[in-house]
Structure formats: C-alpha cells, structure tokens
Amino acid sequence: MTLATDLAGIRLPTPVLAASGTFGRGTEYAGLTDVEGLGGIISKAVTLRPCAGNPPPRLWETPCGLLNSVGLQNRGVEAFLREDLPELLSWGVPVIVNLAGFSREDYLETARVLRRAEGLSGIELNISCPNVKRGGLQFGAEPRVAAGLVAAVREVIDLPLLVKLSPNVPALGEMAAAVAEAGADGLSLVNTFPAMAVDIRTWRPRLGAVTGGLSGPALRPLAVRAVWEAYKAVDLPILACGGVSSWEDAVEMLLVGARAVAVGTALFREPRTPLMIAQGLKEYLLSKGLANVGQLVGKVLA
Amino acid sequence: MRLRAVVEEVRGCGDAALLRVGAPEIAASAAPGQFVHIICGEDSPRVLRRPYSVFSVEGGTLGILLKVTGAGSRWLACRRPGDPLDILGPLGRGYASAAAGEEVALVAGGTGIAPLHFLAVELRREGVGCRLFWGMESASDFGHLPHRLGDLADTRLATMDGTLGAAGTVLDLLGDSGLDGVARAYACGPSAMLKPLHRLCEEAGIPLQVSVEERMACGVGACQGCAVPVVDDPPGYRMACRDGPVFPSVELDWERIE
C-alpha cells in the first residue's frame, strides 16, 4: 500500500498538498507542522511584476467559510525565484507555482521567466482568481478564451501544466474539454467562489474590495460537483481543492474523480490538516484492502 | 509554538471576561504586544482561530481579556476551569521597550487595554514611569478591572456615558496636557482612536507605537489576509500578524486607514 501518486506527470509522495495562497514559503508553518510530510506545496499566485494587493479588510468569516480579497499580493516573479522558491524547494516536496496575470502577455512573460527555474515540479495556471479587476476570471469564464491562453502558455513551458478553474462556470464540462484540447496536463478544481458580505450596521461591504472569494467547507459540495463534471468530461488528472478539511472529505473528492487534493482554509485552524488527512487516507486504504488512491478515483456509484 | 493549554480560571469583569490559561511554554517567551491564536470551538462553524493580545503573564499562566463580540468570544467566555484550549503563540512582534527613568504614556481603547496592561507590568519592572489613559463605553464594560490598575500606573479613565472617570473619549481625557513630559507613547485600540492619537503625537514629537486590530486568518504571515497600509513607494501593505501587530505609527499610511 502506498500513498504516492502521479498527478499529470508530477510524482507526489502523498496525494495531499497545501493549496495556493495559504502556505507561504512553508517557513511560516515550520514548528507547527512537518512541512516535509506534505504531498506538495502550491505557491501563492505569482505575477510578472510586484502586486500590492487589495485594500483591507481582506478577510471575513462566514458560517463554515471564509471570504478573502487578498488580490494576488506578491513581489513579482523575479523576487519569487530569488527569495521564495529556494525556501519552498528546501522542504524536499514537489513545488507547483501558481501563475497569474493581468493580460495574456503578462502570463506568457511570467511563464518565460519561470522556464529558467530549476526544481519546479509544475505550473498551476490561475485563470480563476475572483479578486482582480483585470485578468484572472476574465480568462477563465469562456472556454474559447481559456483555451487560447492555455495553448499559448503550453508553447512557452514544458513543465506539467494544471489549469485552475472557477466553480462559477456555467458549462464546466465544456471548459474542461477546451483546456484539455489546448494542451493542459491536468485540472485544478476549484478556485474560490465569487462572494460578498455586508455590515448591516454601517451598510458597507465587509471587504475593502467589496467582493471576494468564498473558501472553506461551505464551498465543498460545489467543488465536489465541479470535480465530478470535469471528470466525466475529460480524461485529465484532477487536483481537487475546496473546503477539504478531513480524510473523509479527501475520499469524497477521490471518488468523484480527483487524483489528489489541496488543503487551504483548513490550514489556518489546524496547520497539521494535510498530514492528518494523509494518515486517515492510509488507514482507509488499508481497511479497504486497496493498494493506492488511484483505485478510488472516479469510483462513485453514479 | 503550539499548545494544548488548560483553562485555569474564568473571571467575569463586568461585560468582559478574564481567562487564566495554563500555557507554560507560551508564557515563558511571550512579550508585551504579542498575541495568541485560539481555536474557539472544536467542530464549530468557525473556520478561523481568534487572535488575542496577551493581557498578563504570571508564572506559566497567560491572562487573556475578552469582550463577547460574537460567537467565538462567547464560546471562550463560557470555558470552565480544566477545559482544554488549542493555542498558537506567542505570535507577532510586540512593543519596543523604553529606557529606565523615562515617563511614558499608554493609551488604550476598550479591550485595547490587554497588551498595554502586560506592557505596563514589564515597564514598571524596568523602572519606567507609566501614565495610563483608558477609555471605554461605560463603567460596566470591565467591572472592577479599571480600579485595580492603580499600583501599575498613574491611571486615568474615561467613559462615553460618564459613568466612570471623565465623560468622553480617551483623547478628550488626554486633553492638552496628557502627553506633557512624555518620552514615548504606546497605544492599542480602534483606528478611530489611533488615527487622531498619531496626529497628536506627531505634533508633539513623541514617538508612538500602535497595536492594530485587523482580521486575521493564518496568524503566521502566510495568507496575506491581515493587510495594514504602510508608507512605502509604491504604497503597499504589511501583515498585522507577522510584521505587527505593533508598528511605529509613522510607518503606517493613516490616509488609507479607515
């Protein structure tokens, strides 16, 4: 029995990763969890140039959920390669870079810069960030536009390419098929769901950017359904993200077609969540007499 | 650092509560202005921990002062002696100390008293003279607590409804002469209080350190959620959890802070 698995050509020691935007360089959690025990780390979104992010407040907690409007704050791809990547790689687990942009040329130029990086395991192409006015979702809303960008990035870079999609796409199967056709090696499902909250005392939005993205367990059923839709539509490996907080949640994602899961919001409360999920998966596989998680993928009786 | 801590005592202080929590490793290294990050309810709908500035350290025991403002703080206030608590800490950067013999002003709004109480204890030990100005809504907010600070600092109180100390805000209490002869100032409270205090200290040439209140998720600098606008070129943000929660007030971009 092994937890090791393959995701779009990326060898993962376990199928439980830290989701983009939630794990920093890993250093932040040293001492709180065994970072070396992760299946992989997906970096915070990286853009071509430094990005200041959105005005505060950037967070608002809702029942079983969290709204954020961080807005791609990062120091740009050059600083990422110089300062963040060496630390991320130091943990000895696969590192996947979340690549975001504000224009097509942004994405491509950043991809060209990332080509020089050594040690990267893959790219998570972020065409689904709800927190920026330009770019982000604008590339992830229409299959034709998404496919155009994916094909162009594919030309630039050889690394395994996962495309991160929004749960707020009307025909997810069509979208998945379009990016598969354009050369994606895998899908990452889902980004946060566009969301909003209002303070009824002041009549003002809870978030400085007015709207944000919903994550956490409240999002999970939407993510489960999205993974299932995509799994039926395309023959691509899927990384599932969206409220995964326990091994039971991970098994559910595997059953609807995921090959691996990423944990985000749950880390804030319990930094050891990915390790606890990996342990739970191991015991589950043993109890079912299964040799690997691949034997669960897509096995939902539906 | 992460601990399974144990609640030792929950004391009602008016509408607030003071928790005494056995957490020896955190207590041993906590400095004034640092905070702890607490899970408020296992299996609850609350996905985030709650950050609390350390109110006091006595031996291996942390004091945590809280006002019930929502479901998380209500859960905390309902703990009983012996209950376990899941705490991360001490987190963030605290107040820089003062020199022995100096006279300093501590300015607190509401539960902003928490880090300043801890600071006053430390400063007094170091031979620094403390003038404490504490504003709150009403005498019922913190029960007997305001009356027990006399040993610690020259304490002056203000309430919005005039039921305790002077009527008005803590800034009214400071008035024209509150900062006279003060070498530095420390504050914690809502930005509506910190903003004018910053201007006041700037005019008087008094260095001010403020602890900001910002909503947090990870608490360790990973998620970029608790952004605080800073004076920078181009204008940017620092994180309250990792870079703060205490900042020299001149570093913050008050124009962009509401």
Side-chain angles (χ1 to χ4, degrees), chain B residues 206-228:
Chain B
I206 297 169
L208 167 69
Q209 298 172 52
V210 298
S211 176
V212 298
E213 293 174 347
E214 193 55 61
R215 286 181 182 277
M216 289 180 187
C218 73
V220 294
C223 75
Q224 317 285 302
C226 54
V228 183

PDB file of all heavy atoms in Angstrom, chain B residues 206-228:
ATOM      1  N   ILE B 206       6.414  63.076  19.805  1.00  0.00           N
ATOM      2  CA  ILE B 206       6.532  61.903  20.686  1.00  0.00           C
ATOM      3  C   ILE B 206       6.420  60.630  19.851  1.00  0.00           C
ATOM      4  O   ILE B 206       5.420  60.436  19.165  1.00  0.00           O
ATOM      5  CB  ILE B 206       5.412  61.919  21.751  1.00  0.00           C
ATOM      6  CG1 ILE B 206       5.572  63.152  22.635  1.00  0.00           C
ATOM      7  CG2 ILE B 206       5.416  60.641  22.577  1.00  0.00           C
ATOM      8  CD1 ILE B 206       4.377  63.409  23.531  1.00  0.00           C
ATOM      9  N   PRO B 207       7.442  59.775  19.883  1.00  0.00           N
ATOM     10  CA  PRO B 207       7.329  58.521  19.129  1.00  0.00           C
ATOM     11  C   PRO B 207       6.216  57.637  19.698  1.00  0.00           C
ATOM     12  O   PRO B 207       6.105  57.472  20.911  1.00  0.00           O
ATOM     13  CB  PRO B 207       8.698  57.861  19.290  1.00  0.00           C
ATOM     14  CG  PRO B 207       9.391  58.574  20.389  1.00  0.00           C
ATOM     15  CD  PRO B 207       8.735  59.907  20.572  1.00  0.00           C
ATOM     16  N   LEU B 208       5.397  57.123  18.776  1.00  0.00           N
ATOM     17  CA  LEU B 208       4.228  56.337  19.184  1.00  0.00           C
ATOM     18  C   LEU B 208       4.278  54.955  18.537  1.00  0.00           C
ATOM     19  O   LEU B 208       4.550  54.844  17.348  1.00  0.00           O
ATOM     20  CB  LEU B 208       2.945  57.065  18.733  1.00  0.00           C
ATOM     21  CG  LEU B 208       1.620  56.283  18.795  1.00  0.00           C
ATOM     22  CD1 LEU B 208       1.209  56.013  20.237  1.00  0.00           C
ATOM     23  CD2 LEU B 208       0.514  57.053  18.066  1.00  0.00           C
ATOM     24  N   GLN B 209       4.045  53.936  19.335  1.00  0.00           N
ATOM     25  CA  GLN B 209       3.880  52.588  18.795  1.00  0.00           C
ATOM     26  C   GLN B 209       2.437  52.156  18.987  1.00  0.00           C
ATOM     27  O   GLN B 209       1.905  52.287  20.079  1.00  0.00           O
ATOM     28  CB  GLN B 209       4.794  51.596  19.519  1.00  0.00           C
ATOM     29  CG  GLN B 209       6.277  51.881  19.371  1.00  0.00           C
ATOM     30  CD  GLN B 209       7.080  50.956  20.274  1.00  0.00           C
ATOM     31  OE1 GLN B 209       6.899  49.752  20.238  1.00  0.00           O
ATOM     32  NE2 GLN B 209       7.958  51.537  21.082  1.00  0.00           N
ATOM     33  N   VAL B 210       1.844  51.655  17.906  1.00  0.00           N
ATOM     34  CA  VAL B 210       0.446  51.246  17.986  1.00  0.00           C
ATOM     35  C   VAL B 210       0.295  49.757  17.694  1.00  0.00           C
ATOM     36  O   VAL B 210       0.999  49.202  16.869  1.00  0.00           O
ATOM     37  CB  VAL B 210      -0.443  52.044  16.995  1.00  0.00           C
ATOM     38  CG1 VAL B 210      -0.407  53.524  17.319  1.00  0.00           C
ATOM     39  CG2 VAL B 210      -0.015  51.806  15.548  1.00  0.00           C
ATOM     40  N   SER B 211      -0.627  49.138  18.403  1.00  0.00           N
ATOM     41  CA  SER B 211      -1.022  47.765  18.082  1.00  0.00           C
ATOM     42  C   SER B 211      -2.338  47.858  17.328  1.00  0.00           C
ATOM     43  O   SER B 211      -3.310  48.430  17.823  1.00  0.00           O
ATOM     44  CB  SER B 211      -1.199  46.945  19.365  1.00  0.00           C
ATOM     45  OG  SER B 211      -1.672  45.646  19.034  1.00  0.00           O
ATOM     46  N   VAL B 212      -2.367  47.331  16.090  1.00  0.00           N
ATOM     47  CA  VAL B 212      -3.551  47.480  15.253  1.00  0.00           C
ATOM     48  C   VAL B 212      -4.475  46.276  15.385  1.00  0.00           C
ATOM     49  O   VAL B 212      -4.036  45.168  15.691  1.00  0.00           O
ATOM     50  CB  VAL B 212      -3.167  47.674  13.761  1.00  0.00           C
ATOM     51  CG1 VAL B 212      -2.349  48.933  13.598  1.00  0.00           C
ATOM     52  CG2 VAL B 212      -2.413  46.460  13.227  1.00  0.00           C
ATOM     53  N   GLU B 213      -5.749  46.542  15.181  1.00  0.00           N
ATOM     54  CA  GLU B 213      -6.745  45.472  15.181  1.00  0.00           C
ATOM     55  C   GLU B 213      -7.087  45.165  13.734  1.00  0.00           C
ATOM     56  O   GLU B 213      -7.630  45.996  13.036  1.00  0.00           O
ATOM     57  CB  GLU B 213      -8.006  45.924  15.927  1.00  0.00           C
ATOM     58  CG  GLU B 213      -7.780  46.123  17.418  1.00  0.00           C
ATOM     59  CD  GLU B 213      -9.006  46.711  18.132  1.00  0.00           C
ATOM     60  OE1 GLU B 213      -9.928  47.179  17.440  1.00  0.00           O
ATOM     61  OE2 GLU B 213      -9.004  46.703  19.375  1.00  0.00           O
ATOM     62  N   GLU B 214      -6.746  43.982  13.268  1.00  0.00           N
ATOM     63  CA  GLU B 214      -7.074  43.604  11.897  1.00  0.00           C
ATOM     64  C   GLU B 214      -7.502  42.143  11.900  1.00  0.00           C
ATOM     65  O   GLU B 214      -6.972  41.353  12.678  1.00  0.00           O
ATOM     66  CB  GLU B 214      -5.855  43.827  11.000  1.00  0.00           C
ATOM     67  CG  GLU B 214      -6.127  43.766   9.508  1.00  0.00           C
ATOM     68  CD  GLU B 214      -7.224  44.709   9.035  1.00  0.00           C
ATOM     69  OE1 GLU B 214      -7.087  45.939   9.202  1.00  0.00           O
ATOM     70  OE2 GLU B 214      -8.224  44.203   8.507  1.00  0.00           O
ATOM     71  N   ARG B 215      -8.476  41.824  11.052  1.00  0.00           N
ATOM     72  CA  ARG B 215      -8.920  40.425  10.999  1.00  0.00           C
ATOM     73  C   ARG B 215      -7.809  39.540  10.444  1.00  0.00           C
ATOM     74  O   ARG B 215      -7.145  39.911   9.491  1.00  0.00           O
ATOM     75  CB  ARG B 215     -10.171  40.299  10.131  1.00  0.00           C
ATOM     76  CG  ARG B 215     -11.346  40.845  10.857  1.00  0.00           C
ATOM     77  CD  ARG B 215     -12.639  40.764  10.137  1.00  0.00           C
ATOM     78  NE  ARG B 215     -13.637  41.379  10.988  1.00  0.00           N
ATOM     79  CZ  ARG B 215     -14.258  40.747  11.977  1.00  0.00           C
ATOM     80  NH1 ARG B 215     -14.010  39.472  12.215  1.00  0.00           N
ATOM     81  NH2 ARG B 215     -15.121  41.374  12.732  1.00  0.00           N
ATOM     82  N   MET B 216      -7.618  38.387  11.068  1.00  0.00           N
ATOM     83  CA  MET B 216      -6.522  37.505  10.691  1.00  0.00           C
ATOM     84  C   MET B 216      -7.036  36.116  10.346  1.00  0.00           C
ATOM     85  O   MET B 216      -8.042  35.670  10.883  1.00  0.00           O
ATOM     86  CB  MET B 216      -5.558  37.339  11.868  1.00  0.00           C
ATOM     87  CG  MET B 216      -4.756  38.555  12.183  1.00  0.00           C
ATOM     88  SD  MET B 216      -3.689  38.202  13.592  1.00  0.00           S
ATOM     89  CE  MET B 216      -3.040  39.856  13.869  1.00  0.00           C
ATOM     90  N   ALA B 217      -6.287  35.448   9.468  1.00  0.00           N
ATOM     91  CA  ALA B 217      -6.601  34.035   9.203  1.00  0.00           C
ATOM     92  C   ALA B 217      -5.467  33.170   9.741  1.00  0.00           C
ATOM     93  O   ALA B 217      -5.559  32.626  10.829  1.00  0.00           O
ATOM     94  CB  ALA B 217      -6.838  33.805   7.721  1.00  0.00           C
ATOM     95  N   CYS B 218      -4.348  33.087   9.014  1.00  0.00           N
ATOM     96  CA  CYS B 218      -3.304  32.131   9.426  1.00  0.00           C
ATOM     97  C   CYS B 218      -2.607  32.562  10.718  1.00  0.00           C
ATOM     98  O   CYS B 218      -2.237  31.733  11.530  1.00  0.00           O
ATOM     99  CB  CYS B 218      -2.293  31.918   8.301  1.00  0.00           C
ATOM    100  SG  CYS B 218      -1.163  33.291   8.011  1.00  0.00           S
ATOM    101  N   GLY B 219      -2.364  33.856  10.881  1.00  0.00           N
ATOM    102  CA  GLY B 219      -1.676  34.342  12.084  1.00  0.00           C
ATOM    103  C   GLY B 219      -0.163  34.213  12.031  1.00  0.00           C
ATOM    104  O   GLY B 219       0.524  34.618  12.969  1.00  0.00           O
ATOM    105  N   VAL B 220       0.369  33.651  10.930  1.00  0.00           N
ATOM    106  CA  VAL B 220       1.818  33.413  10.866  1.00  0.00           C
ATOM    107  C   VAL B 220       2.478  34.030   9.636  1.00  0.00           C
ATOM    108  O   VAL B 220       3.638  33.771   9.358  1.00  0.00           O
ATOM    109  CB  VAL B 220       2.136  31.898  10.928  1.00  0.00           C
ATOM    110  CG1 VAL B 220       1.748  31.332  12.284  1.00  0.00           C
ATOM    111  CG2 VAL B 220       1.455  31.130   9.798  1.00  0.00           C
ATOM    112  N   GLY B 221       1.729  34.846   8.887  1.00  0.00           N
ATOM    113  CA  GLY B 221       2.347  35.535   7.753  1.00  0.00           C
ATOM    114  C   GLY B 221       2.258  34.807   6.433  1.00  0.00           C
ATOM    115  O   GLY B 221       2.940  35.171   5.482  1.00  0.00           O
ATOM    116  N   ALA B 222       1.409  33.791   6.341  1.00  0.00           N
ATOM    117  CA  ALA B 222       1.348  33.012   5.111  1.00  0.00           C
ATOM    118  C   ALA B 222       0.256  33.476   4.154  1.00  0.00           C
ATOM    119  O   ALA B 222       0.425  33.417   2.948  1.00  0.00           O
ATOM    120  CB  ALA B 222       1.139  31.533   5.433  1.00  0.00           C
ATOM    121  N   CYS B 223      -0.875  33.950   4.686  1.00  0.00           N
ATOM    122  CA  CYS B 223      -2.046  34.128   3.814  1.00  0.00           C
ATOM    123  C   CYS B 223      -2.240  35.547   3.305  1.00  0.00           C
ATOM    124  O   CYS B 223      -3.047  35.766   2.409  1.00  0.00           O
ATOM    125  CB  CYS B 223      -3.312  33.652   4.518  1.00  0.00           C
ATOM    126  SG  CYS B 223      -3.938  34.776   5.793  1.00  0.00           S
ATOM    127  N   GLN B 224      -1.510  36.516   3.827  1.00  0.00           N
ATOM    128  CA  GLN B 224      -1.588  37.913   3.371  1.00  0.00           C
ATOM    129  C   GLN B 224      -2.974  38.520   3.608  1.00  0.00           C
ATOM    130  O   GLN B 224      -3.376  39.430   2.895  1.00  0.00           O
ATOM    131  CB  GLN B 224      -1.261  38.030   1.873  1.00  0.00           C
ATOM    132  CG  GLN B 224      -0.089  37.195   1.415  1.00  0.00           C
ATOM    133  CD  GLN B 224       1.237  37.768   1.822  1.00  0.00           C
ATOM    134  OE1 GLN B 224       1.569  38.879   1.484  1.00  0.00           O
ATOM    135  NE2 GLN B 224       1.997  37.021   2.601  1.00  0.00           N
ATOM    136  N   GLY B 225      -3.680  38.016   4.599  1.00  0.00           N
ATOM    137  CA  GLY B 225      -5.035  38.489   4.828  1.00  0.00           C
ATOM    138  C   GLY B 225      -5.121  39.757   5.663  1.00  0.00           C
ATOM    139  O   GLY B 225      -5.950  40.622   5.410  1.00  0.00           O
ATOM    140  N   CYS B 226      -4.253  39.875   6.674  1.00  0.00           N
ATOM    141  CA  CYS B 226      -4.399  40.971   7.648  1.00  0.00           C
ATOM    142  C   CYS B 226      -3.557  42.175   7.242  1.00  0.00           C
ATOM    143  O   CYS B 226      -2.707  42.644   7.992  1.00  0.00           O
ATOM    144  CB  CYS B 226      -4.020  40.485   9.034  1.00  0.00           C
ATOM    145  SG  CYS B 226      -2.379  39.731   9.115  1.00  0.00           S
ATOM    146  N   ALA B 227      -3.830  42.696   6.053  1.00  0.00           N
ATOM    147  CA  ALA B 227      -3.007  43.763   5.479  1.00  0.00           C
ATOM    148  C   ALA B 227      -3.207  45.091   6.195  1.00  0.00           C
ATOM    149  O   ALA B 227      -4.325  45.482   6.509  1.00  0.00           O
ATOM    150  CB  ALA B 227      -3.349  43.911   4.006  1.00  0.00           C
ATOM    151  N   VAL B 228      -2.107  45.779   6.449  1.00  0.00           N
ATOM    152  CA  VAL B 228      -2.132  47.116   7.046  1.00  0.00           C
ATOM    153  C   VAL B 228      -1.395  48.050   6.084  1.00  0.00           C
ATOM    154  O   VAL B 228      -0.244  47.778   5.724  1.00  0.00           O
ATOM    155  CB  VAL B 228      -1.412  47.109   8.414  1.00  0.00           C
ATOM    156  CG1 VAL B 228      -1.510  48.469   9.071  1.00  0.00           C
ATOM    157  CG2 VAL B 228      -1.985  46.038   9.324  1.00  0.00           C
TER     158      VAL B 228
END
